[in-house]
Amino acid sequence: MHAWTRRRLLTSAAMTAGLAVTTAAPATAAAGNRARRQDDDILTALRALPGLRVIEERPGAEPGYRFFVLGLRQPADHTNPAAGTFEQRLALLHTSLDRPTVLFSTGYEAVLSARRAEPTVLLGGNELQVEHRFFGTSRPAAPDYSLLTVRQAADDHHRVVRLFRGLYRGAWISTGSSKGGMTSVYHRRFHPHDVDGTVAYSAPDNVDDRDNGAYLRFLESVGTAECREALRTVQRQALLRRADLAARYEAWAASANTAFRIVGSADKALEIAVLRAPFMFWQRHTAADVASVPGPDAGTDELYAWLDDITGLPLYADAALQHYVPYFYQLGTQLGYVGFPTDHLSGLLRYPNAVEPRTFVPRDIPMRFDRDAMPDIDRWVRRHGSRMLFVNGAQDPSVAEPFRASPHDSRVLWAPDASHSTEIAGLSPADRAEAVGMLTRWARVPSGGQQASPA
């Protein structure tokens, strides 16, 4: 069984677009000389920032860049200094102090590679990546999950920006994909003036967790009738052969030295994977991939391999799932989750509410859903959000409920036939030109890539 990756969740990953920009010229000779002197000694400058630890400088950065892994001491509770601290993992791609800086929110653990996000490529800028609290190594020693809220994470990002603006005084653009895009939006809600603009990719806006109608309608209409029927058929076949598939799943878990204590059993985990399969299929595929869906006569080996490839079966076993408990906790307390069609599986399901976030969080962690959190975010984005660009894929079920832009220099643009891994480069030529124009204007970088001189 292959290693599971985050792309099977509402993931956040570094994005590139292959769109070239040129190196900026300094605004003035004096400013350029100062910037070059600081660039030559960026390591010393980083070490001088209060609360920041330079963990290492890594190789592999593109020409003109240096890549640092950093740790920043953060309050566990921004409203209560007595609650202690934790070290938040950051990753910095530094090119020049006189270039724009892209604040890249992962929404999950840090992606410790030197690959640049698409806005960083377009702007030729620096990039500061922020690992989300409670993910990766950014965890308090004794985590209090009540502190895993959108406001606490937004305050983390606020402290990061305030600290690094002392070095990087140019324009700042925030970005992220999927849950990382959501994180960027939440940061703007509570600290709207931290950055000069935001590009959120594939970011859902689940305003009312009690209403899953948008997701159900999307999954019942996306693609072709042939593809939708093929997915319904493979789901039924998997549940009809669940005894063989669950036994195989259980044997894999034993060989991998893991189990299903959090979810409950291999049989329940299998049912969850089957229910999520169409959603996960459309996140990465199109109707053109219908040939890859096993038919009713497919062998059990083929069926199991397809389900693993589409849904990432290791996710539901304890060894992997324990790393994503914070994700499901957030879904079950503030962010909300999606719904899946089940009428065609009548008589084949054994576990009511199996895909609810509570299933994936150990019972000793209390959960209570805050019904005011997402409506508050949604109202702010629609009424007050400014300089916000939402880039979505038209074939992505994750954005069946998309953010709606305000009239304040903000837009929602859709990439035709694109799935969850969409980008500005996938937009139509007119929309792509508009998106690049917005981004470069916010960052005060002309479309040719030369940074504008200050007035």
Side-chain angles (χ1 to χ4, degrees):
M1 183 177 291
H2 59 72
W4 180 83
T5 62
R6 288 186 305 165
R7 65 183 181 178
R8 294 171 177 83
L9 291 170
L10 300 183
T11 64
S12 176
M15 305 156 291
T16 57
L19 302 176
V21 293
T22 60
T23 303
T28 66
N33 290 335
R34 284 196 302 273
R36 280 191 291 273
R37 285 197 299 270
Q38 290 175 301
D39 288 336
D40 289 342
D41 203 21
I42 186 62
L43 184 57
T44 300
L46 290 172
R47 286 173 172 160
L49 294 178
L52 188 72
R53 180 169 71 98
V54 178
I55 297 172
E56 62 176 322
E57 180 173 0
R58 289 192 173 185
E62 297 176 56
Y65 281 85
R66 295 176 70 178
F67 180 40
F68 299 94
V69 179
L70 311 169
L72 176 63
R73 187 58 51 188
Q74 291 274 28
D77 182 352
H78 289 273
T79 67
N80 178 19
T85 64
F86 70 97
E87 186 177 75
Q88 187 165 39
R89 182 61 50 88
L90 311 175
L92 173 66
L93 278 167
H94 168 84
T95 183
S96 175
L97 296 175
D98 65 358
R99 294 301 295 168
T101 298
V102 173
L103 181 70
F104 176 41
S105 298
T106 68
Y108 298 92
E109 73 272 18
V111 182
L112 296 181
S113 75
R115 189 181 182 190
R116 293 181 293 165
E118 185 180 46
T120 313
V121 174
L122 289 168
L123 298 174
N126 309 287
E127 179 177 302
L128 183 59
Q129 180 188 151
V130 182
E131 183 170 78
H132 201 288
R133 61 167 44 212
F134 282 63
F135 289 85
T137 64
S138 301
R139 300 169 182 252
D144 175 357
Y145 273 85
S146 69
L147 300 176
L148 180 53
T149 66
V150 295
R151 180 59 190 266
Q152 293 283 357
D155 290 350
D156 290 340
H157 285 67
H158 178 59
R159 290 190 75 248
V160 169
V161 173
R162 288 186 63 189
L163 180 67
F164 280 85
R165 269 196 181 275
L167 282 180
Y168 298 98
R169 298 180 180 273
W172 280 63
I173 301 294
S174 62
T175 194
S177 177
S178 192
K179 187 171 178 289
M182 296 156 69
T183 303
S184 295
V185 173
Y186 307 154
H187 172 211
R188 287 292 303 280
R189 159 64 183 93
F190 296 107
H191 301 284
H193 305 298
D194 272 1
V195 298
D196 299 280
T198 297
V199 183
Y201 298 83
S202 307
D205 181 25
N206 194 344
V207 181
D208 185 355
D209 191 49
R210 294 165 294 188
D211 181 7
N212 290 315
Y215 299 102
L216 299 178
R217 289 190 295 273
F218 183 96
L219 291 171
E220 290 168 348
S221 61
V222 65
T224 65
E226 177 189 19
C227 192
R228 294 193 299 273
E229 181 56 33
L231 290 169
R232 288 192 287 265
T233 297
V234 77
Q235 285 182 289
R236 289 193 294 266
Q237 285 298 314
L239 293 176
L240 287 169
R241 291 189 245 176
R242 69 189 303 155
D244 288 343
L245 293 175
R248 188 169 305 200
Y249 201 3
E250 187 78 56
W252 165 80
S255 69
N257 196 30
T258 188
F260 299 93
R261 285 181 289 271
I262 297 177
V263 168
S265 68
D267 189 63
K268 185 176 181 180
L270 178 73
E271 182 168 302
I272 292 167
V274 170
L275 286 171
R276 297 182 77 226
F279 188 96
M280 306 310 293
F281 175 88
W282 290 113
Q283 277 198 318
R284 295 188 290 127
H285 297 85
T286 69
D289 299 305
V290 65
S292 69
V293 181
D297 299 325
T300 303
D301 288 347
E302 182 183 356
L303 193 59
Y304 187 86
W306 181 86
L307 194 62
D308 178 32
D309 178 63
I310 294 297
T311 68
L313 291 176
L315 168 64
Y316 312 104
D318 297 337
L321 182 55
Q322 64 183 339
H323 298 291
Y324 292 92
V325 166
Y327 166 73
F328 288 105
Y329 177 87
Q330 287 191 277
L331 295 183
T333 56
Q334 288 190 313
L335 308 188
Y337 199 37
V338 302
F340 307 98
T342 58
D343 289 349
H344 61 292
L345 302 176
S346 178
L348 298 176
L349 300 175
R350 296 178 179 174
Y351 306 96
N353 303 317
V355 292
E356 292 296 318
R358 175 78 268 184
T359 296
F360 308 99
V361 180
R363 297 307 183 270
D364 60 345
I365 300 176
M367 293 174 64
R368 183 179 65 83
F369 194 76
D370 177 3
R371 298 201 181 279
D372 296 326
M374 292 303 104
D376 171 74
I377 301 290
D378 176 72
R379 282 191 300 271
W380 182 85
V381 170
R382 286 187 290 110
R383 298 176 183 177
H384 307 292
S386 64
R387 301 182 308 281
M388 304 188 76
L389 173 62
F390 299 92
V391 180
N392 297 328
Q395 300 297 305
D396 179 12
S398 303
V399 287
E401 285 193 69
F403 279 101
R404 292 165 288 176
S406 80
H408 309 302
D409 197 9
S410 299
R411 288 279 275 138
V412 179
L413 297 177
W414 295 86
D417 302 320
S419 59
H420 198 54
S421 300
T422 191
E423 53 190 17
I424 290 172
L427 296 171
S428 69
D431 284 349
R432 183 166 62 247
E434 181 179 6
V436 172
M438 294 172 73
L439 178 61
T440 54
R441 174 165 47 81
W442 297 339
R444 302 186 291 279
V445 176
S447 58
Q450 296 290 327
Q451 187 173 14
S453 300

